[in-house]
Amino acid sequence: MLRRNDTGLFVKPAPAVYPFQWNWDSALAAIGLARVDVERGRQEVRGLLRGQWTDGMVPHIVFHPTSVDYSPGPELWGSAGCPGAPEILTSGLTQPPVLATAVRVLHEAAPDTGFLEEVLPGVEAWHAWLSRERDFDGSGLVAILHPWESADNAPRFDRALARVEPDGGPTVARSDRRHLASDERPTDRDYTRYLAIVEALRRCAFRPRSLAEAPFAYVDLTFNSVLAAAEEDLAWLWGELGDRGGRATSAAAGLREALAGRWDEDAVAYRELDLHAGEEQVAGTVGELMPLYAGVPDERRARRMFDEALWAPNRYGPSPEAPWAVTTVSKQSPDFDSSRYWRGPVWINVNWFLIRGLERLGLAAEASLLQDLTLELVSTSGFSEYYHPSTGAPLGSREFSWSAALTLDLIDDLRP
Ligand code: 2M8
């Protein structure tokens, strides 16, 4: 299936809906490719870095020249007119930085210091850019400037998004509508605001000097947890080249400490922050458990998070009415929706992050429970973009690359 989605230049996230190179999709694809074709995995990393901007940002979409019908496409971004953008057209946003982790997995599968010398400076520049450009409140945590930089229409963004003035955004046709059921996708109401944010950011070439130029700014814990783990992996990779990786080592420690400071004892979750509202919140989405992936809680706290949140039937865990876990939104939340995109369905990448986090914190039995359930889900319903938590039915696009790639990674653990 990954081979079918392989254009030769990059692996498409899915056959028709997402025909270009998306950032974290590619990194997650490379993690799976490390199990079957390491050189092809390295190509994925190289392809993504072709889209890097001179200031370090690795964009969320690289529009490799292919003749496909996708909207909103490169014209929405106008990257060619932005200082520091590469020759190849890209979006002006970024995405959770899984790349360093992918490079580490590739290197562990087949060590190649030549490859590290080639790609680590780019990864380093991206991470440095994130802390330089996106730490708006000096907390050590970075902000996303658009829901497209994380889990698009997750309810945690609703309030911040509602504040965005929808007028002024361009009107574009949505190609997703031609391929997928509209009740499984973000609404038009959300979409007009997504476009209005792009329009506002485009006015400053996607480099707001202050929050006043960014209509949406959110300290997302999925993004920050992925970054914390990636900084640690980057420091390890520099070590393979005999370098101390000083910036990455201290960034990893700083991020972990800042994440730890977001713990909410009553909610048994970590708090996120809408920077324009200035209020930390627990909104009942799985992002609040993601610091598990970065090894933030100690074993005791991680166990509590597992028992009282992640695996709790009334929150994210399996229940008689919804046996497939983990849900992306707590079942207690009034916003829980079993079919709509990031508002409830089960996603394989989320499960994979949590499995790896539980393992690193010493919760091997708990990690296995989630791993078994995840593998059962893909064997029952195939490699879909997301899944209905009650029926396990495939939702969104079929033949979704990261679902297949991460399955390859998970089954590799089962080899004797
Ligand atoms: C989704 O995002 C795109 C826009 O970038 C969309 O909604 O059309 C998200 O799930 C995102 O996380 C993912 O990287 C992308 C491609 O799979 O699709």
Side-chain angles (χ1 to χ4, degrees), residues 139-141 224-225 227-233 235 248-263 270 290-298 301 360-361:
S139 65
L141 297 176
N224 279 283
S225 302
L227 178 59
E231 289 286 28
E232 199 176 325
D233 291 331
T249 307
S250 53
L255 282 157
R256 269 210 303 274
E257 196 187 324
L259 285 166
R262 298 295 166 115
W263 174 248
Y270 290 83
M290 249 352 151
L292 275 173
Y293 171 62
V296 173
D298 61 18
R301 181 168 291 171
R360 82 177 268 176
L361 290 164

PDB file of all heavy atoms in Angstrom, residues 139-141 224-225 227-233 235 248-263 270 290-298 301 360-361:
ATOM      1  N   SER A 139       7.589  30.958  27.712  1.00  0.00           N
ATOM      2  CA  SER A 139       7.369  29.830  28.631  1.00  0.00           C
ATOM      3  C   SER A 139       8.278  28.651  28.318  1.00  0.00           C
ATOM      4  O   SER A 139       8.347  27.691  29.075  1.00  0.00           O
ATOM      5  CB  SER A 139       5.912  29.354  28.523  1.00  0.00           C
ATOM      6  OG  SER A 139       5.699  28.818  27.216  1.00  0.00           O
ATOM      7  N   GLY A 140       8.961  28.717  27.162  1.00  0.00           N
ATOM      8  CA  GLY A 140       9.755  27.559  26.745  1.00  0.00           C
ATOM      9  C   GLY A 140       8.943  26.639  25.851  1.00  0.00           C
ATOM     10  O   GLY A 140       9.494  25.759  25.192  1.00  0.00           O
ATOM     11  N   LEU A 141       7.618  26.819  25.815  1.00  0.00           N
ATOM     12  CA  LEU A 141       6.774  26.013  24.929  1.00  0.00           C
ATOM     13  C   LEU A 141       6.460  26.848  23.686  1.00  0.00           C
ATOM     14  O   LEU A 141       6.383  28.073  23.757  1.00  0.00           O
ATOM     15  CB  LEU A 141       5.474  25.616  25.638  1.00  0.00           C
ATOM     16  CG  LEU A 141       5.655  24.729  26.875  1.00  0.00           C
ATOM     17  CD1 LEU A 141       4.314  24.473  27.551  1.00  0.00           C
ATOM     18  CD2 LEU A 141       6.306  23.396  26.507  1.00  0.00           C
ATOM     19  N   ASN A 224       4.127  20.265  21.189  1.00  0.00           N
ATOM     20  CA  ASN A 224       5.259  20.437  22.109  1.00  0.00           C
ATOM     21  C   ASN A 224       5.824  19.108  22.599  1.00  0.00           C
ATOM     22  O   ASN A 224       7.034  18.985  22.818  1.00  0.00           O
ATOM     23  CB  ASN A 224       4.842  21.317  23.290  1.00  0.00           C
ATOM     24  CG  ASN A 224       4.880  22.795  22.921  1.00  0.00           C
ATOM     25  OD1 ASN A 224       5.943  23.395  22.865  1.00  0.00           O
ATOM     26  ND2 ASN A 224       3.715  23.364  22.618  1.00  0.00           N
ATOM     27  N   SER A 225       4.989  18.109  22.756  1.00  0.00           N
ATOM     28  CA  SER A 225       5.487  16.796  23.207  1.00  0.00           C
ATOM     29  C   SER A 225       6.287  16.135  22.093  1.00  0.00           C
ATOM     30  O   SER A 225       7.339  15.525  22.343  1.00  0.00           O
ATOM     31  CB  SER A 225       4.325  15.894  23.632  1.00  0.00           C
ATOM     32  OG  SER A 225       3.588  16.523  24.658  1.00  0.00           O
ATOM     33  N   LEU A 227       7.885  17.757  19.839  1.00  0.00           N
ATOM     34  CA  LEU A 227       9.137  18.511  19.768  1.00  0.00           C
ATOM     35  C   LEU A 227      10.104  18.087  20.880  1.00  0.00           C
ATOM     36  O   LEU A 227      11.306  17.914  20.632  1.00  0.00           O
ATOM     37  CB  LEU A 227       8.848  20.018  19.847  1.00  0.00           C
ATOM     38  CG  LEU A 227      10.061  20.945  19.828  1.00  0.00           C
ATOM     39  CD1 LEU A 227      10.897  20.761  18.548  1.00  0.00           C
ATOM     40  CD2 LEU A 227       9.642  22.418  19.945  1.00  0.00           C
ATOM     41  N   ALA A 228       9.582  17.891  22.086  1.00  0.00           N
ATOM     42  CA  ALA A 228      10.465  17.497  23.196  1.00  0.00           C
ATOM     43  C   ALA A 228      11.144  16.160  22.886  1.00  0.00           C
ATOM     44  O   ALA A 228      12.366  16.003  23.067  1.00  0.00           O
ATOM     45  CB  ALA A 228       9.659  17.399  24.493  1.00  0.00           C
ATOM     46  N   ALA A 229      10.364  15.201  22.388  1.00  0.00           N
ATOM     47  CA  ALA A 229      10.948  13.888  22.050  1.00  0.00           C
ATOM     48  C   ALA A 229      11.935  14.043  20.891  1.00  0.00           C
ATOM     49  O   ALA A 229      13.007  13.420  20.870  1.00  0.00           O
ATOM     50  CB  ALA A 229       9.836  12.907  21.688  1.00  0.00           C
ATOM     51  N   ALA A 230      11.584  14.902  19.937  1.00  0.00           N
ATOM     52  CA  ALA A 230      12.441  15.082  18.755  1.00  0.00           C
ATOM     53  C   ALA A 230      13.767  15.747  19.133  1.00  0.00           C
ATOM     54  O   ALA A 230      14.818  15.418  18.580  1.00  0.00           O
ATOM     55  CB  ALA A 230      11.712  15.915  17.704  1.00  0.00           C
ATOM     56  N   GLU A 231      13.726  16.693  20.081  1.00  0.00           N
ATOM     57  CA  GLU A 231      14.978  17.338  20.517  1.00  0.00           C
ATOM     58  C   GLU A 231      15.898  16.297  21.160  1.00  0.00           C
ATOM     59  O   GLU A 231      17.112  16.294  20.945  1.00  0.00           O
ATOM     60  CB  GLU A 231      14.695  18.461  21.523  1.00  0.00           C
ATOM     61  CG  GLU A 231      14.035  19.717  20.928  1.00  0.00           C
ATOM     62  CD  GLU A 231      14.984  20.599  20.101  1.00  0.00           C
ATOM     63  OE1 GLU A 231      15.961  20.091  19.524  1.00  0.00           O
ATOM     64  OE2 GLU A 231      14.708  21.809  20.006  1.00  0.00           O
ATOM     65  N   GLU A 232      15.290  15.416  21.934  1.00  0.00           N
ATOM     66  CA  GLU A 232      16.089  14.368  22.573  1.00  0.00           C
ATOM     67  C   GLU A 232      16.709  13.453  21.504  1.00  0.00           C
ATOM     68  O   GLU A 232      17.881  13.079  21.593  1.00  0.00           O
ATOM     69  CB  GLU A 232      15.138  13.574  23.459  1.00  0.00           C
ATOM     70  CG  GLU A 232      15.795  12.756  24.509  1.00  0.00           C
ATOM     71  CD  GLU A 232      14.733  12.083  25.377  1.00  0.00           C
ATOM     72  OE1 GLU A 232      13.660  12.679  25.622  1.00  0.00           O
ATOM     73  OE2 GLU A 232      14.990  10.946  25.781  1.00  0.00           O
ATOM     74  N   ASP A 233      15.910  13.108  20.502  1.00  0.00           N
ATOM     75  CA  ASP A 233      16.420  12.250  19.428  1.00  0.00           C
ATOM     76  C   ASP A 233      17.505  12.962  18.637  1.00  0.00           C
ATOM     77  O   ASP A 233      18.496  12.347  18.235  1.00  0.00           O
ATOM     78  CB  ASP A 233      15.262  11.821  18.508  1.00  0.00           C
ATOM     79  CG  ASP A 233      14.312  10.861  19.216  1.00  0.00           C
ATOM     80  OD1 ASP A 233      14.779  10.125  20.114  1.00  0.00           O
ATOM     81  OD2 ASP A 233      13.111  10.862  18.898  1.00  0.00           O
ATOM     82  N   ALA A 235      19.558  15.261  19.789  1.00  0.00           N
ATOM     83  CA  ALA A 235      20.785  15.275  20.606  1.00  0.00           C
ATOM     84  C   ALA A 235      21.490  13.921  20.486  1.00  0.00           C
ATOM     85  O   ALA A 235      22.722  13.847  20.332  1.00  0.00           O
ATOM     86  CB  ALA A 235      20.436  15.580  22.058  1.00  0.00           C
ATOM     87  N   ALA A 248      20.162  21.061  21.446  1.00  0.00           N
ATOM     88  CA  ALA A 248      19.043  20.109  21.476  1.00  0.00           C
ATOM     89  C   ALA A 248      18.887  19.490  22.866  1.00  0.00           C
ATOM     90  O   ALA A 248      17.766  19.317  23.365  1.00  0.00           O
ATOM     91  CB  ALA A 248      19.260  19.027  20.422  1.00  0.00           C
ATOM     92  N   THR A 249      20.003  19.190  23.517  1.00  0.00           N
ATOM     93  CA  THR A 249      19.925  18.587  24.858  1.00  0.00           C
ATOM     94  C   THR A 249      19.243  19.543  25.821  1.00  0.00           C
ATOM     95  O   THR A 249      18.332  19.158  26.564  1.00  0.00           O
ATOM     96  CB  THR A 249      21.345  18.264  25.394  1.00  0.00           C
ATOM     97  OG1 THR A 249      22.005  17.476  24.410  1.00  0.00           O
ATOM     98  CG2 THR A 249      21.303  17.529  26.706  1.00  0.00           C
ATOM     99  N   SER A 250      19.667  20.816  25.805  1.00  0.00           N
ATOM    100  CA  SER A 250      19.017  21.702  26.777  1.00  0.00           C
ATOM    101  C   SER A 250      17.601  22.042  26.363  1.00  0.00           C
ATOM    102  O   SER A 250      16.716  22.209  27.214  1.00  0.00           O
ATOM    103  CB  SER A 250      19.851  22.942  27.104  1.00  0.00           C
ATOM    104  OG  SER A 250      20.194  23.589  25.941  1.00  0.00           O
ATOM    105  N   ALA A 251      17.324  22.069  25.046  1.00  0.00           N
ATOM    106  CA  ALA A 251      15.938  22.322  24.616  1.00  0.00           C
ATOM    107  C   ALA A 251      15.024  21.185  25.085  1.00  0.00           C
ATOM    108  O   ALA A 251      13.906  21.431  25.553  1.00  0.00           O
ATOM    109  CB  ALA A 251      15.871  22.462  23.106  1.00  0.00           C
ATOM    110  N   ALA A 252      15.499  19.959  24.981  1.00  0.00           N
ATOM    111  CA  ALA A 252      14.661  18.809  25.402  1.00  0.00           C
ATOM    112  C   ALA A 252      14.344  18.926  26.893  1.00  0.00           C
ATOM    113  O   ALA A 252      13.190  18.758  27.312  1.00  0.00           O
ATOM    114  CB  ALA A 252      15.383  17.495  25.101  1.00  0.00           C
ATOM    115  N   ALA A 253      15.361  19.246  27.683  1.00  0.00           N
ATOM    116  CA  ALA A 253      15.142  19.351  29.131  1.00  0.00           C
ATOM    117  C   ALA A 253      14.193  20.504  29.440  1.00  0.00           C
ATOM    118  O   ALA A 253      13.276  20.377  30.270  1.00  0.00           O
ATOM    119  CB  ALA A 253      16.481  19.546  29.841  1.00  0.00           C
ATOM    120  N   GLY A 254      14.383  21.638  28.750  1.00  0.00           N
ATOM    121  CA  GLY A 254      13.530  22.808  28.984  1.00  0.00           C
ATOM    122  C   GLY A 254      12.074  22.524  28.620  1.00  0.00           C
ATOM    123  O   GLY A 254      11.148  22.900  29.347  1.00  0.00           O
ATOM    124  N   LEU A 255      11.879  21.859  27.505  1.00  0.00           N
ATOM    125  CA  LEU A 255      10.499  21.548  27.076  1.00  0.00           C
ATOM    126  C   LEU A 255       9.837  20.588  28.070  1.00  0.00           C
ATOM    127  O   LEU A 255       8.683  20.758  28.452  1.00  0.00           O
ATOM    128  CB  LEU A 255      10.513  20.905  25.682  1.00  0.00           C
ATOM    129  CG  LEU A 255      10.702  21.883  24.526  1.00  0.00           C
ATOM    130  CD1 LEU A 255      11.256  21.185  23.299  1.00  0.00           C
ATOM    131  CD2 LEU A 255       9.368  22.553  24.175  1.00  0.00           C
ATOM    132  N   ARG A 256      10.598  19.591  28.499  1.00  0.00           N
ATOM    133  CA  ARG A 256      10.012  18.623  29.443  1.00  0.00           C
ATOM    134  C   ARG A 256       9.613  19.307  30.749  1.00  0.00           C
ATOM    135  O   ARG A 256       8.561  19.042  31.315  1.00  0.00           O
ATOM    136  CB  ARG A 256      10.981  17.472  29.692  1.00  0.00           C
ATOM    137  CG  ARG A 256      10.724  16.328  28.708  1.00  0.00           C
ATOM    138  CD  ARG A 256      11.089  15.001  29.321  1.00  0.00           C
ATOM    139  NE  ARG A 256      12.474  15.046  29.737  1.00  0.00           N
ATOM    140  CZ  ARG A 256      13.492  14.762  28.933  1.00  0.00           C
ATOM    141  NH1 ARG A 256      13.261  14.397  27.691  1.00  0.00           N
ATOM    142  NH2 ARG A 256      14.722  14.838  29.363  1.00  0.00           N
ATOM    143  N   GLU A 257      10.486  20.213  31.199  1.00  0.00           N
ATOM    144  CA  GLU A 257      10.177  20.918  32.445  1.00  0.00           C
ATOM    145  C   GLU A 257       8.940  21.819  32.277  1.00  0.00           C
ATOM    146  O   GLU A 257       8.049  21.846  33.137  1.00  0.00           O
ATOM    147  CB  GLU A 257      11.390  21.762  32.833  1.00  0.00           C
ATOM    148  CG  GLU A 257      11.340  22.232  34.269  1.00  0.00           C
ATOM    149  CD  GLU A 257      12.476  23.211  34.549  1.00  0.00           C
ATOM    150  OE1 GLU A 257      13.586  23.037  33.995  1.00  0.00           O
ATOM    151  OE2 GLU A 257      12.232  24.154  35.320  1.00  0.00           O
ATOM    152  N   ALA A 258       8.878  22.521  31.147  1.00  0.00           N
ATOM    153  CA  ALA A 258       7.724  23.402  30.914  1.00  0.00           C
ATOM    154  C   ALA A 258       6.437  22.583  30.782  1.00  0.00           C
ATOM    155  O   ALA A 258       5.379  22.975  31.278  1.00  0.00           O
ATOM    156  CB  ALA A 258       7.965  24.242  29.669  1.00  0.00           C
ATOM    157  N   LEU A 259       6.537  21.421  30.127  1.00  0.00           N
ATOM    158  CA  LEU A 259       5.350  20.560  30.012  1.00  0.00           C
ATOM    159  C   LEU A 259       4.911  20.068  31.392  1.00  0.00           C
ATOM    160  O   LEU A 259       3.724  20.057  31.715  1.00  0.00           O
ATOM    161  CB  LEU A 259       5.650  19.366  29.095  1.00  0.00           C
ATOM    162  CG  LEU A 259       5.702  19.672  27.587  1.00  0.00           C
ATOM    163  CD1 LEU A 259       6.330  18.522  26.801  1.00  0.00           C
ATOM    164  CD2 LEU A 259       4.300  19.962  27.037  1.00  0.00           C
ATOM    165  N   ALA A 260       5.884  19.691  32.207  1.00  0.00           N
ATOM    166  CA  ALA A 260       5.555  19.195  33.556  1.00  0.00           C
ATOM    167  C   ALA A 260       4.778  20.248  34.344  1.00  0.00           C
ATOM    168  O   ALA A 260       3.872  19.934  35.119  1.00  0.00           O
ATOM    169  CB  ALA A 260       6.836  18.808  34.300  1.00  0.00           C
ATOM    170  N   GLY A 261       5.114  21.513  34.107  1.00  0.00           N
ATOM    171  CA  GLY A 261       4.443  22.610  34.809  1.00  0.00           C
ATOM    172  C   GLY A 261       2.974  22.764  34.424  1.00  0.00           C
ATOM    173  O   GLY A 261       2.236  23.517  35.048  1.00  0.00           O
ATOM    174  N   ARG A 262       2.545  22.080  33.385  1.00  0.00           N
ATOM    175  CA  ARG A 262       1.143  22.172  32.944  1.00  0.00           C
ATOM    176  C   ARG A 262       0.257  21.096  33.563  1.00  0.00           C
ATOM    177  O   ARG A 262      -0.906  20.954  33.199  1.00  0.00           O
ATOM    178  CB  ARG A 262       1.054  22.043  31.413  1.00  0.00           C
ATOM    179  CG  ARG A 262       1.778  23.125  30.672  1.00  0.00           C
ATOM    180  CD  ARG A 262       1.111  24.461  30.943  1.00  0.00           C
ATOM    181  NE  ARG A 262       1.976  25.549  30.519  1.00  0.00           N
ATOM    182  CZ  ARG A 262       1.685  26.386  29.549  1.00  0.00           C
ATOM    183  NH1 ARG A 262       0.569  26.271  28.914  1.00  0.00           N
ATOM    184  NH2 ARG A 262       2.526  27.343  29.246  1.00  0.00           N
ATOM    185  N   TRP A 263       0.816  20.293  34.458  1.00  0.00           N
ATOM    186  CA  TRP A 263       0.029  19.199  35.053  1.00  0.00           C
ATOM    187  C   TRP A 263      -1.146  19.744  35.861  1.00  0.00           C
ATOM    188  O   TRP A 263      -1.010  20.711  36.610  1.00  0.00           O
ATOM    189  CB  TRP A 263       0.926  18.353  35.947  1.00  0.00           C
ATOM    190  CG  TRP A 263       0.179  17.289  36.707  1.00  0.00           C
ATOM    191  CD1 TRP A 263      -0.019  17.235  38.061  1.00  0.00           C
ATOM    192  CD2 TRP A 263      -0.462  16.123  36.168  1.00  0.00           C
ATOM    193  NE1 TRP A 263      -0.748  16.106  38.393  1.00  0.00           N
ATOM    194  CE2 TRP A 263      -1.036  15.409  37.249  1.00  0.00           C
ATOM    195  CE3 TRP A 263      -0.620  15.614  34.861  1.00  0.00           C
ATOM    196  CZ2 TRP A 263      -1.742  14.214  37.076  1.00  0.00           C
ATOM    197  CZ3 TRP A 263      -1.327  14.428  34.689  1.00  0.00           C
ATOM    198  CH2 TRP A 263      -1.868  13.741  35.788  1.00  0.00           C
ATOM    199  N   TYR A 270      -2.789  17.379  31.274  1.00  0.00           N
ATOM    200  CA  TYR A 270      -1.963  18.593  31.210  1.00  0.00           C
ATOM    201  C   TYR A 270      -2.769  19.714  30.546  1.00  0.00           C
ATOM    202  O   TYR A 270      -3.590  19.449  29.672  1.00  0.00           O
ATOM    203  CB  TYR A 270      -0.686  18.300  30.419  1.00  0.00           C
ATOM    204  CG  TYR A 270       0.262  17.373  31.159  1.00  0.00           C
ATOM    205  CD1 TYR A 270       0.077  15.985  31.123  1.00  0.00           C
ATOM    206  CD2 TYR A 270       1.307  17.866  31.914  1.00  0.00           C
ATOM    207  CE1 TYR A 270       0.931  15.125  31.812  1.00  0.00           C
ATOM    208  CE2 TYR A 270       2.172  17.025  32.605  1.00  0.00           C
ATOM    209  CZ  TYR A 270       1.974  15.651  32.554  1.00  0.00           C
ATOM    210  OH  TYR A 270       2.815  14.815  33.229  1.00  0.00           O
ATOM    211  N   MET A 290      -0.606  13.782  25.802  1.00  0.00           N
ATOM    212  CA  MET A 290       0.562  13.567  24.962  1.00  0.00           C
ATOM    213  C   MET A 290       1.913  13.723  25.664  1.00  0.00           C
ATOM    214  O   MET A 290       2.892  13.133  25.215  1.00  0.00           O
ATOM    215  CB  MET A 290       0.514  14.510  23.781  1.00  0.00           C
ATOM    216  CG  MET A 290       0.278  13.953  22.454  1.00  0.00           C
ATOM    217  SD  MET A 290       0.265  12.239  22.189  1.00  0.00           S
ATOM    218  CE  MET A 290      -0.833  12.242  20.828  1.00  0.00           C
ATOM    219  N   PRO A 291       2.011  14.501  26.763  1.00  0.00           N
ATOM    220  CA  PRO A 291       3.305  14.541  27.446  1.00  0.00           C
ATOM    221  C   PRO A 291       3.811  13.149  27.845  1.00  0.00           C
ATOM    222  O   PRO A 291       5.003  12.961  28.093  1.00  0.00           O
ATOM    223  CB  PRO A 291       3.025  15.446  28.659  1.00  0.00           C
ATOM    224  CG  PRO A 291       2.024  16.437  28.119  1.00  0.00           C
ATOM    225  CD  PRO A 291       1.095  15.569  27.279  1.00  0.00           C
ATOM    226  N   LEU A 292       2.924  12.157  27.843  1.00  0.00           N
ATOM    227  CA  LEU A 292       3.367  10.763  28.044  1.00  0.00           C
ATOM    228  C   LEU A 292       4.417  10.390  27.001  1.00  0.00           C
ATOM    229  O   LEU A 292       5.400   9.717  27.305  1.00  0.00           O
ATOM    230  CB  LEU A 292       2.179   9.807  27.850  1.00  0.00           C
ATOM    231  CG  LEU A 292       1.237   9.511  29.001  1.00  0.00           C
ATOM    232  CD1 LEU A 292       0.067   8.685  28.492  1.00  0.00           C
ATOM    233  CD2 LEU A 292       1.970   8.752  30.115  1.00  0.00           C
ATOM    234  N   TYR A 293       4.177  10.803  25.776  1.00  0.00           N
ATOM    235  CA  TYR A 293       5.078  10.452  24.674  1.00  0.00           C
ATOM    236  C   TYR A 293       6.471  11.029  24.894  1.00  0.00           C
ATOM    237  O   TYR A 293       7.472  10.418  24.516  1.00  0.00           O
ATOM    238  CB  TYR A 293       4.489  10.947  23.349  1.00  0.00           C
ATOM    239  CG  TYR A 293       5.427  10.837  22.160  1.00  0.00           C
ATOM    240  CD1 TYR A 293       5.892   9.594  21.737  1.00  0.00           C
ATOM    241  CD2 TYR A 293       5.846  11.969  21.458  1.00  0.00           C
ATOM    242  CE1 TYR A 293       6.755   9.485  20.646  1.00  0.00           C
ATOM    243  CE2 TYR A 293       6.703  11.870  20.374  1.00  0.00           C
ATOM    244  CZ  TYR A 293       7.159  10.622  19.977  1.00  0.00           C
ATOM    245  OH  TYR A 293       8.017  10.526  18.913  1.00  0.00           O
ATOM    246  N   ALA A 294       6.521  12.202  25.513  1.00  0.00           N
ATOM    247  CA  ALA A 294       7.815  12.851  25.733  1.00  0.00           C
ATOM    248  C   ALA A 294       8.441  12.431  27.061  1.00  0.00           C
ATOM    249  O   ALA A 294       9.456  12.997  27.473  1.00  0.00           O
ATOM    250  CB  ALA A 294       7.645  14.359  25.680  1.00  0.00           C
ATOM    251  N   GLY A 295       7.844  11.461  27.749  1.00  0.00           N
ATOM    252  CA  GLY A 295       8.425  10.977  29.005  1.00  0.00           C
ATOM    253  C   GLY A 295       8.342  12.011  30.123  1.00  0.00           C
ATOM    254  O   GLY A 295       9.202  12.043  31.000  1.00  0.00           O
ATOM    255  N   VAL A 296       7.301  12.827  30.117  1.00  0.00           N
ATOM    256  CA  VAL A 296       7.215  13.899  31.116  1.00  0.00           C
ATOM    257  C   VAL A 296       6.786  13.400  32.507  1.00  0.00           C
ATOM    258  O   VAL A 296       7.440  13.717  33.495  1.00  0.00           O
ATOM    259  CB  VAL A 296       6.290  15.033  30.608  1.00  0.00           C
ATOM    260  CG1 VAL A 296       6.051  16.081  31.677  1.00  0.00           C
ATOM    261  CG2 VAL A 296       6.904  15.673  29.364  1.00  0.00           C
ATOM    262  N   PRO A 297       5.701  12.620  32.626  1.00  0.00           N
ATOM    263  CA  PRO A 297       5.306  12.176  33.970  1.00  0.00           C
ATOM    264  C   PRO A 297       6.248  11.085  34.488  1.00  0.00           C
ATOM    265  O   PRO A 297       6.915  10.414  33.696  1.00  0.00           O
ATOM    266  CB  PRO A 297       3.904  11.591  33.757  1.00  0.00           C
ATOM    267  CG  PRO A 297       3.831  11.234  32.314  1.00  0.00           C
ATOM    268  CD  PRO A 297       4.772  12.136  31.580  1.00  0.00           C
ATOM    269  N   ASP A 298       6.294  10.922  35.809  1.00  0.00           N
ATOM    270  CA  ASP A 298       7.029   9.757  36.312  1.00  0.00           C
ATOM    271  C   ASP A 298       6.108   8.540  36.204  1.00  0.00           C
ATOM    272  O   ASP A 298       4.942   8.655  35.818  1.00  0.00           O
ATOM    273  CB  ASP A 298       7.531  10.002  37.744  1.00  0.00           C
ATOM    274  CG  ASP A 298       6.393  10.248  38.720  1.00  0.00           C
ATOM    275  OD1 ASP A 298       5.232   9.909  38.397  1.00  0.00           O
ATOM    276  OD2 ASP A 298       6.645  10.800  39.809  1.00  0.00           O
ATOM    277  N   ARG A 301       2.698   8.712  38.040  1.00  0.00           N
ATOM    278  CA  ARG A 301       1.715   9.611  37.418  1.00  0.00           C
ATOM    279  C   ARG A 301       1.233   9.032  36.083  1.00  0.00           C
ATOM    280  O   ARG A 301       0.057   9.131  35.728  1.00  0.00           O
ATOM    281  CB  ARG A 301       2.333  10.995  37.213  1.00  0.00           C
ATOM    282  CG  ARG A 301       1.351  11.967  36.604  1.00  0.00           C
ATOM    283  CD  ARG A 301       1.849  13.390  36.675  1.00  0.00           C
ATOM    284  NE  ARG A 301       1.873  13.911  38.026  1.00  0.00           N
ATOM    285  CZ  ARG A 301       2.428  15.078  38.374  1.00  0.00           C
ATOM    286  NH1 ARG A 301       3.041  15.822  37.461  1.00  0.00           N
ATOM    287  NH2 ARG A 301       2.403  15.482  39.619  1.00  0.00           N
ATOM    288  N   ARG A 360       8.266   3.817  27.160  1.00  0.00           N
ATOM    289  CA  ARG A 360       9.455   4.494  27.702  1.00  0.00           C
ATOM    290  C   ARG A 360       9.307   4.768  29.188  1.00  0.00           C
ATOM    291  O   ARG A 360      10.286   4.872  29.919  1.00  0.00           O
ATOM    292  CB  ARG A 360       9.825   5.753  26.907  1.00  0.00           C
ATOM    293  CG  ARG A 360       9.061   6.994  27.253  1.00  0.00           C
ATOM    294  CD  ARG A 360       9.567   8.194  26.462  1.00  0.00           C
ATOM    295  NE  ARG A 360      10.595   8.937  27.174  1.00  0.00           N
ATOM    296  CZ  ARG A 360      11.249   9.969  26.678  1.00  0.00           C
ATOM    297  NH1 ARG A 360      11.005  10.368  25.454  1.00  0.00           N
ATOM    298  NH2 ARG A 360      12.147  10.603  27.391  1.00  0.00           N
ATOM    299  N   LEU A 361       8.053   4.853  29.675  1.00  0.00           N
ATOM    300  CA  LEU A 361       7.843   5.124  31.095  1.00  0.00           C
ATOM    301  C   LEU A 361       7.746   3.849  31.912  1.00  0.00           C
ATOM    302  O   LEU A 361       7.428   3.885  33.103  1.00  0.00           O
ATOM    303  CB  LEU A 361       6.583   5.978  31.264  1.00  0.00           C
ATOM    304  CG  LEU A 361       6.782   7.407  30.737  1.00  0.00           C
ATOM    305  CD1 LEU A 361       5.465   8.123  30.549  1.00  0.00           C
ATOM    306  CD2 LEU A 361       7.697   8.207  31.669  1.00  0.00           C
TER     307      LEU A 361
END
